[in-house]
Amino acid sequence: SKAYGDKEILKDIDFSLEEGELVCLLGVSGVGKTTLFNILSGLTKPDSGSVKLKDSNGEFQDITEKNGELSYMLQKDLLLPNKYVIDNVALPLTISGMRKKEAREIASSHFTRFGLEGCEKKYPVQLSGGMRQRAALLRTYLCGNKVALLDEPFSALDTITRTSMQEWYLEVMEDIKMSTIFITHDIDEAILISDRIYIMKGSPAS
């Protein structure tokens, strides 16, 4: 549960995500989906409740308010305009202390799988919206976390590009099998890409 002042945003939200599963949170704009993501990612403290992640031993660990445990991709790609695409994608690796050359090699090995071949030495401004989102998704994947939080990653794309990206994303997910929670307000998108759907509604959302 979460409130800001006298306004309750979330109340008694309870859901689960299985390994390798893609779950959609479906709801209208302003219902509290992003607030829930901020809690899951450790950016916001819930008023009550906790976030738990199963470790390699099968034990649940409390990750409430712990940053960096889950990968988080926002609606905007947030690529750095002054860096090559390869360096944008490799950023999680270099931040973790890996040498630039090694980080580039690891990132580059995934470019074909993510449909980015030939874009290594381009700047973000030289890419289409769909290609920028592919780069942002690859960067999210290279964070190396078990779970990814995707906040309406295709909402800013035109209809044709969005449909193409949805089909491509399903193929990639089948390959990398990354457990994912996906925010959307598009019913068709939720039905197309998800294994399960949670509907958030009401004020406060439940």
Side-chain angles (χ1 to χ4, degrees):
S1 297
K2 180 65 181 178
Y4 291 105
D6 295 331
K7 182 173 178 58
E8 280 190 296
I9 307 299
L10 307 173
K11 184 176 183 179
D12 299 331
I13 297 288
D14 185 13
F15 75 101
S16 63
L17 172 72
E18 300 298 328
E19 186 173 358
E21 190 177 36
L22 196 159
V23 164
C24 269
L25 298 180
L26 178 64
V28 298
S29 297
V31 77
K33 301 186 298 295
T34 299
T35 297
L36 179 56
F37 259 29
N38 288 340
I39 291 172
L40 295 176
S41 64
L43 296 174
T44 299
K45 179 182 178 181
D47 295 333
S48 64
S50 61
V51 182
K52 295 184 179 181
L53 179 67
K54 187 180 289 186
D55 63 21
S56 57
N57 296 319
E59 301 292 330
F60 280 101
Q61 304 297 323
D62 191 332
I63 62 167
T64 312
E65 291 190 88
K66 291 185 179 180
N67 295 322
E69 296 291 330
L70 309 182
S71 301
Y72 191 178
M73 179 179 164
L74 302 173
Q75 292 180 30
K76 295 183 179 180
D77 56 73
L78 299 180
L79 299 177
L80 301 174
N82 61 330
K83 286 185 176 292
Y84 288 135
V85 172
I86 185 68
D87 294 321
N88 266 287
V89 167
L91 196 59
L93 303 177
T94 54
I95 288 176
S96 69
M98 188 178 295
R99 292 184 177 181
K100 184 176 181 178
K101 181 180 179 181
E102 183 180 359
R104 279 184 165 188
E105 289 174 352
I106 292 174
S108 182
S109 69
H110 296 284
F111 266 54
T112 298
R113 173 190 285 175
F114 278 76
L116 292 166
E117 61 272 19
C119 297
E120 289 85 347
K121 292 296 181 69
K122 290 185 177 181
Y123 289 102
V125 71
Q126 297 175 286
L127 302 185
S128 66
M131 295 295 279
R132 289 170 65 103
Q133 290 303 87
R134 289 179 186 230
L137 282 165
L138 176 51
R139 181 183 58 194
T140 302
Y141 172 64
L142 290 178
C143 287
N145 295 321
K146 289 183 176 182
V147 178
L149 308 174
L150 306 184
D151 189 351
E152 299 193 76
F154 308 142
S155 62
L157 304 175
D158 63 79
T159 302
I160 294 175
T161 304
R162 183 164 62 247
T163 300
S164 175
M165 284 292 293
Q166 290 165 347
E167 294 172 351
W168 166 82
Y169 182 66
L170 286 173
E171 294 177 3
V172 171
M173 286 300 298
E174 183 66 25
D175 187 16
I176 66 178
K177 302 186 187 314
M178 184 167 60
S179 306
T180 304
I181 305 173
F182 191 110
I183 282 180
T184 183
H185 60 263
D186 186 325
I187 296 174
D188 291 335
E189 180 173 66
I191 293 172
L192 175 65
I193 68 172
S194 62
D195 296 304
R196 288 188 296 125
I197 300 171
Y198 286 100
I199 298 175
M200 294 179 64
K201 61 181 181 178
S203 181
S206 59

